[in-house]
Amino acid sequence: MTSAAPILAVGSVAFDSVETPFGKAHEVLGGSAVYFSTSASYFAPVRVVGVVGDDFPPDALAFLDGRPVDLSGLVRKPGRTFRWVGRYGFDLNEATTLDTQLNVFADFKPELPEAFRDTPYVFLGNIDPDLQADVLDQVRSPRLVAADTMNFWISGKLDALRRVLARVDLLLINEAEARQLAGEANLVKAARAIRAMGPKILIVKRGEYGALMFHGEGVFAAPGYLLEAVFDPTGAGDTFAGGVLGFLAREGRLDEPTLRRAIVAGGVMASFNVEAFSLDRLKALAPGDISARYEAFRRLCSFEALG
Amino acid sequence: MTSAAPILAVGSVAFDSVETPFGKAHEVLGGSAVYFSTSASYFAPVRVVGVVGDDFPPDALAFLDGRPVDLSGLVRKPGRTFRWVGRYGFDLNEATTLDTQLNVFADFKPELPEAFRDTPYVFLGNIDPDLQADVLDQVRSPRLVAADTMNFWISGKLDALRRVLARVDLLLINEAEARQLAGEANLVKAARAIRAMGPKILIVKRGEYGALMFHGEGVFAAPGYLLEAVFDPTGAGDTFAGGVLGFLAREGRLDEPTLRRAIVAGGVMASFNVEAFSLDRLKALAPGDISARYEAFRRLCSFEALG
């Protein structure tokens, strides 16, 4: 852990109200920066940039005490913290947003503390692409820039998104959004089109079906984990990204075998996250949980040569 | 090949008219027994039981000459051969049936030639479960009974289907149909419920996402192959089943590693089939094509230990 390079994480800090077929959670801690940082902190130090309102309880992030998460870039502003209200049906693959209250997030202007500007790994959470660009303007020669985005920005701010993508090394995106961004139904062709926009590494998230990585000339298909009880998929994508970036920052390499292991590490973290509401499972991982689940992923999809 | 045990295949022989976003095919050869047999014949001898009309051209199956496919159980009846008309949209995952003409298939009563009754491997294609049971009544102590089914029989003939399932060792079924048959959204729980109905081995087909196998205490997730040009998914499920059963009959074992390799072999065959209309690609595989594609599946999803 001590040798892992730090990661800068920019994104939302939120209170989520979530309803799934298995229960309800009211105004529980969430947001892309929180899920990402908690997940990544099992592998590498994280520096968080974000905003909360003056209603944000001082102890809401106390579970991060003792973990390598630097919250000095998390500013408190007058007003209410970002709220999201959503519901999932039985397939748990897509949330229906019932309400979004940006609150203090509406005027969010990421400002990096001077000590954050040389962070080698950067994760741009799913926020306005113009804000993602503002963050990149403030960091000096990062080793790896990773970003997430969504259909809202693809439809509404495509030009700004394209300008950011030209500066991004690793893009994480949902399968349907990859098709939308490329304007192409076939994933192999869509991946080629997206990578021509900038990102050398493209990770396509497929929910319960796992993830694909397009890198160099090859493709990697990581399996999804099979759980008997999936409670709440909220934050799974950011938790996945936290595992991927955390692992890469820990290893300090970007070769194909390391990238593949990083994606499985991301899947491992996401598989824990969906087992409970909010960060209840993710924040309570014991030593050995991660490596045991990683080995379970290996058993899940290993097979021998044809013979 | 000479040491592989034979497989009995019962199912439809059809003329399919198919429209996909990439083209059209009019009254081309199809049917579950044809796709299955052609695929399996690359691994083991196949004995086909089915029915065609007097409009069936004598040379329609000539491409099987020289392959180990015994067509002596394929009877010719007065009337027209089974016809299916369908269309696929851009996602290619589900066909819309535009027309089904059962024709001679409406009165199909499978009758096994005496020489077929001791066939050790049996594949019951997706037909009326009462007919599947008739076939089983005619075979003597098979080593492995595999079956396919669909939503039509789950909704319409559940009791008959349950009676057959009690006699089936290996069930192949689509993901949505597995959930429907079990009345359970979670796949792990659905698999447990279905296996309690009879099949010790359950293979859940997930289209472009690959397949799952539930066997013993474990689960295996096989990846789907990524193709830049998917032309026509018609017959993919039966082609997959042909690869699975063919490989098992060739190997003569049902242990976990062999079952896993068999499922990948099935995926390999299905990945070829969707590259062209009808059996155009499947029937023209060169020596080495199958092992090369199998190795491509290995490269697609291999990753190292966490370290």
Side-chain angles (χ1 to χ4, degrees), chain B residues 264-288:
Chain B
V264 178
V268 164
M269 302 309 284
S271 76
F272 284 123
N273 181 56
V274 301
E275 289 182 356
F277 281 110
S278 187
L279 294 101
D280 290 357
R281 180 75 182 101
L282 194 62
K283 67 188 184 190
L285 296 178

Side-chain angles (χ1 to χ4, degrees), chain A residues 260-261 294 299 304 306, chain B residues 261 294 299 304 306:
Chain A
R260 290 183 172 218
R261 288 155 70 213
Y294 187 100
R299 282 193 301 278
E304 297 169 4
L306 187 61
Chain B
R261 289 155 68 213
Y294 188 100
R299 283 193 301 278
E304 296 169 7
L306 188 60

Side-chain angles (χ1 to χ4, degrees), chain A residues 126-207:
Chain A
N126 174 19
I127 58 175
D128 186 322
D130 281 328
L131 297 187
Q132 293 179 320
D134 283 349
V135 173
L136 289 184
D137 291 341
Q138 297 175 60
V139 291
R140 289 184 280 257
S141 56
R143 196 180 302 165
L144 181 81
V145 175
D148 190 5
T149 193
M150 71 183 296
N151 48 12
F152 184 75
W153 309 118
I154 298 170
S155 317
K157 295 198 74 167
L158 185 58
D159 289 345
L161 179 59
R162 292 289 295 261
R163 284 193 297 272
V164 172
L165 287 179
R167 306 167 72 184
V168 164
D169 303 301
L170 188 165
L171 178 68
L172 301 116
I173 190 168
N174 287 338
E175 186 168 13
E177 290 160 354
R179 293 188 162 107
Q180 182 189 357
L181 177 57
E184 164 63 50
N186 180 277
L187 269 185
V188 179
K189 292 179 185 169
R192 189 179 302 136
I194 293 169
R195 292 172 71 201
M197 298 175 193
K200 286 190 187 64
I201 307 164
L202 173 66
I203 298 177
V204 176
K205 298 176 285 180
R206 306 174 113 183

Side-chain angles (χ1 to χ4, degrees), chain B residues 19-60:
Chain B
E19 191 177 335
T20 81
F22 312 108
K24 283 183 184 191
H26 181 67
E27 300 223 330
V28 293
L29 183 66
S32 61
V34 176
Y35 280 108
F36 178 91
S37 304
T38 305
S39 176
S41 72
Y42 285 93
F43 301 93
V46 190
R47 297 164 174 174
V48 180
V49 172
V51 62
V52 296
D54 50 21
D55 60 344
F56 195 77
D59 62 350

